[in-house]
Amino acid sequence: MTSPGSRWSDLDRPPLSARALRPAMIWPDGLWTQLEIVESTGSTNADLAEAARAGRASAGTVLVAEEQTSGRGRLGRGWSAPPRSGLFFSVLLKTEPEVTTERLSWLPLLAGVATAAAVARAAGVDTALKWPNDLLVTVEGEERKCGGILAERTGHGTVVLGIGVNVSLRADELPVPHAGSLLLAGAVSTDRDPLLRAVLRSLAEWYTRWLAACGDPAASGVLDAYVAGCATLDRPVRAELPGGGELRGTATALDGEGRLVVTAADGTRHPLAAADIVHLRTT
């Protein structure tokens, strides 16, 4: 338990060590070039994007926070959790000239594939992907969100990719009832060190493959892997649209730009680039 006045003393949540992680993740010709860990920050995405625009961070930089107080999810939603209860990090990736603007929308989907695969290996938890950027686990027979991904272009041909995963969050710490964590999903381990290593290695493998294919989702294997792991496809959904309003139908496919195609009851197909998707129960 955390003793009064010392939020960093939770023995079940040891700190990450940059000294241990750097030699394991940074090597000649590898994707990752720098790795920094900070105790607390508002948002790793905001910090890394600002550093990139100011020329203080180069492609391959990894920024990890033990606590993130003003993290942002999609549509400006907040993302926060107790110190050291999860993985909260951002990476700076170079995408130009290999990847065209039209294919950049596949980057968060790729990150979902990489993160899900790493979590399954390192924590022994079956995961699923909810379009476009959520990681789902099963807690007491119910789908729960335990992770999210946010990609932001920074200019100069780079993108900041932020990943958050709830690792040891307990039931009484959940920010909302439909949230979850690897702990609550029955993880065999909640040690964040091997989990972070697994995610970064998986992300490097998938990103390198995707970049070599010039961002082609089919040639890189990202399309097939995402479809295989996506819990949104082939089920009824309600899409809450950014400008207001909603669309109901069946999520039937992903198009070439990574948009979710929702087929309405009248048979019309609607490709969505952005929406809040609610999985509906079948009756």
Side-chain angles (χ1 to χ4, degrees):
M1 298 178 59
T2 305
S3 60
S6 179
R7 62 187 181 134
W8 300 106
S9 61
D10 191 333
L11 298 180
D12 292 331
R13 293 170 174 167
L16 292 166
S17 168
R19 180 177 295 181
L21 285 164
R22 286 189 187 114
M25 301 310 309
I26 299 173
W27 58 81
D29 300 322
L31 181 62
W32 311 123
T33 58
Q34 298 181 65
L35 189 149
E36 299 295 333
I37 299 175
V38 297
E39 285 195 354
S40 181
T41 190
S43 163
T44 57
N45 255 36
D47 290 353
L48 192 52
E50 179 183 355
R53 294 186 180 106
R56 292 183 281 104
S58 57
T61 297
V62 180
L63 177 63
V64 185
E66 295 284 29
E67 179 186 31
Q68 191 169 239
T69 59
S70 304
R72 289 178 294 119
R74 291 184 63 253
L75 307 180
R77 291 189 178 90
W79 176 282
S80 62
R84 301 195 317 237
S85 66
L87 294 180
F88 320 113
F89 70 96
S90 298
V91 299
L92 184 62
L93 298 171
K94 178 179 176 293
T95 57
E96 294 180 5
E98 291 87 351
V99 180
T100 62
T101 300
E102 293 75 20
R103 287 175 170 172
L104 283 179
S105 55
W106 281 96
L107 187 53
L109 305 185
L110 176 155
V113 168
T115 304
V119 166
R121 287 197 305 267
V125 173
D126 289 333
T127 58
L129 301 168
K130 179 184 174 186
W131 186 90
N133 66 347
D134 289 347
L135 185 71
L136 303 179
V137 295
T138 301
V139 179
E140 297 179 351
E142 179 184 351
E143 282 183 345
R144 302 278 192 92
K145 176 181 174 178
C146 81
I149 296 159
L150 182 66
E152 300 179 71
R153 298 177 66 180
T154 61
H156 309 294
T158 60
V159 173
V160 168
L161 184 68
I163 298 176
V165 180
N166 292 334
V167 178
S168 63
L169 214 62
R170 303 160 188 137
D172 61 350
E173 296 173 321
L174 296 177
V176 291
H178 57 268
S181 69
L182 301 185
L183 174 69
L184 296 175
V188 297
S189 171
T190 56
D191 188 340
R192 293 179 305 141
D193 182 294
L195 182 60
L196 178 59
R197 297 186 194 206
V199 174
L200 288 174
R201 286 169 181 160
S202 183
L203 181 57
E205 291 170 5
W206 277 105
Y207 178 76
T208 300
R209 191 182 309 169
W210 180 70
L211 202 64
C214 297
D216 187 316
S220 63
V222 173
L223 173 59
D224 286 346
Y226 192 88
V227 168
C230 184
T232 303
L233 292 172
D234 300 321
R235 69 191 293 176
V237 299
R238 182 178 75 247
E240 299 174 354
L241 307 177
E246 65 176 41
L247 171 68
R248 289 176 181 257
T250 300
T252 52
L254 295 179
D255 71 7
E257 296 180 20
R259 296 180 298 183
L260 182 70
V261 179
V262 176
T263 302
D266 62 3
T268 56
R269 291 162 58 88
H270 303 266
L272 304 178
D276 228 9
I277 300 297
V278 178
H279 291 168
L280 302 177
R281 295 183 183 274
T282 56
T283 56

